[in-house]
Amino acid sequence: MRIVTVEAPGKVNLTLEILGKRPDGYHELRSILMPVSLFETVTVRERADGVVTLRTTGEGVDCSELETLPLERQLAYKAVAAMRRACGRPDGGCDVTVVKRVPIGAGMGGGSADAAGVLCALRALWAPKLPEADYLAAGASVGSDVPALQLGGAVLMEGRGERVRRLLTPADPAPAPFWLVVVHPRFAVSTRAVYEAVDAENFRLTQQEGVWENCARSVLSGDVRAASRSLFNGLQRTVNRLHPSTERFCTALGKDGALSTLLSGSGSAVFGLAESQADAERIRRGLPPEVWSNVVQTLPDGVMAAHGPLVP
Ligand code: C5P
């Protein structure tokens, strides 16, 4: 039985604008999503008997709440179901193992990364010729952030999350990454609850004209100071109100020298942009030891790759 392993990165959103509410209950978004160097290791091993299993362990993150979550609600499992449909293999079986390093309920796309890793691995095993559009549609059926992570690198994400475009073309030179300090206050936030709360608020949910384009340009040029002037998250004020500690951590990162700070996705993680890796390490050392924190770099031109199929 063949095995494929994928290192699937988590993400932060450098911008996240909410343009409106859709008839299907989702929100119309415009977001620059950027994978970061914090990886889930997803291994998929074929099985001939059609059974699907999922085993998740944590490395530096607490996975205990996943133990009570039914298999059918876990994004890695949903990704197997989506690939069974997309590849016309209703009885396709596999053992999936996930080593998690992205904190859960942090707005850093950990569950979406698990799904993207499974999709990438099963494409390699079951349907290497699966057209890109079908592959991404399978991801969109699993979760709104999944197609962007399947595509890899810095992505402009629109619609519910299903319309994705890489900011870099293959001809672009690899830009310098940004260094970030990420802080997770060790509680999970429900994305659905945040969006519901946003609907009841009157906060500004979009940037001024042209600001997201400035952010996109700063990604291409690797200019962290320019990027720090265009960070925006329309969910932030709502999450700060629901969970005041997110605002406190942003303030602390700013005092310690972060160029700019932002909530990641729907939270609860926040991040600060640093001038350099050394600066990020220094800022991290000032954080209280009881919070989860990490220094990561952005992956503006990173593409998720399947290692395998290998026959053990
Ligand atoms: O697509 P996903 O399952 O990740 O979304 C989780 C929840 O976040 C949805 O149930 C919805 O309440 C909210 N959401 C939204 N608009 C989006 C993405 C997510 O309202 N574009």
Side-chain angles (χ1 to χ4, degrees):
M1 288 287 118
R2 297 173 307 161
I3 294 182
V4 169
T5 300
V6 178
E7 300 292 337
K11 58 86 181 172
V12 296
N13 303 73
L14 298 180
T15 67
L16 201 173
E17 297 176 273
I18 300 118
L19 307 179
K21 187 141 188 213
R22 301 158 43 123
D24 63 6
Y26 281 83
H27 292 76
E28 192 72 20
L29 306 180
R30 177 168 60 206
S31 176
I32 296 178
L33 184 144
M34 183 74 110
V36 295
S37 58
L38 194 59
F39 297 93
E40 312 272 71
T41 304
V42 178
T43 304
V44 178
R45 186 193 184 101
E46 288 179 309
R47 288 178 70 123
D49 61 3
V51 172
V52 177
T53 68
L54 172 61
R55 194 165 62 87
T56 304
T57 54
E59 214 176 85
V61 299
D62 178 14
C63 287
S64 51
E65 69 184 77
L66 288 182
E67 281 155 23
T68 54
L69 198 66
L71 196 58
E72 297 72 29
R73 289 193 47 208
Q74 305 207 28
L75 296 193
Y77 184 85
K78 288 186 183 181
V80 177
M83 277 311 255
R84 280 176 152 185
R85 287 191 297 273
C87 304
R89 296 183 62 134
D91 300 322
C94 57
D95 294 318
V96 179
T97 59
V98 177
V99 180
K100 286 194 80 67
R101 300 185 187 87
V102 179
I104 295 170
M108 292 188 67
S112 303
D114 301 344
V118 168
L119 293 160
C120 180
L122 285 179
R123 186 192 206 186
L125 286 169
W126 288 351
K129 295 205 173 103
L130 184 69
E132 182 87 346
D134 296 346
Y135 175 58
L136 296 176
S141 75
V142 176
S144 302
D145 287 338
V146 179
L149 290 173
Q150 287 176 276
L151 210 56
V155 165
L156 176 69
M157 174 176 123
E158 292 177 294
R160 199 199 107 196
E162 77 285 8
R163 292 208 313 274
V164 286
R165 175 166 73 74
R166 295 195 81 193
L167 292 184
L168 274 89
T169 68
D172 285 321
F178 301 151
W179 287 95
L180 271 54
V181 187
V182 193
V183 183
H184 181 241
R186 293 201 193 273
F187 58 82
V189 159
S190 150
T191 303
R192 178 193 291 263
V194 169
Y195 276 100
E196 278 170 9
V198 162
D199 289 336
E201 306 269 18
N202 220 356
F203 294 138
R204 191 159 70 85
L205 304 178
T206 56
Q207 285 172 310
Q208 285 159 344
E209 261 328 288
V211 180
W212 77 261
E213 288 99 327
N214 289 345
C215 186
R217 271 193 290 277
S218 72
V219 168
L220 296 183
S221 61
D223 183 343
V224 70
R225 287 200 163 258
S228 73
R229 289 190 293 272
S230 47
L231 297 185
F232 178 82
N233 186 337
L235 303 175
Q236 179 142 18
R237 290 184 66 184
T238 300
V239 173
N240 285 350
R241 194 181 58 69
L242 295 172
H243 306 284
S245 66
T246 52
E247 188 167 19
R248 283 202 296 277
F249 283 117
C250 282
T251 308
L253 287 169
K255 276 207 185 110
D256 284 345
L259 296 172
S260 186
T261 63
L262 199 71
L263 181 78
S264 179
S266 56
S268 58
V270 300
F271 66 94
L273 278 183
E275 191 92 61
S276 63
Q277 180 178 9
D279 223 31
E281 305 281 2
R282 184 189 55 71
I283 294 168
R284 185 185 178 205
R285 283 195 291 276
L287 291 167
E290 64 274 15
V291 298
W292 179 99
S293 67
N294 229 308
V295 168
V296 299
Q297 65 182 111
T298 56
L299 305 169
D301 63 342
V303 175
M304 202 171 43
H307 304 290
L310 301 173
V311 181

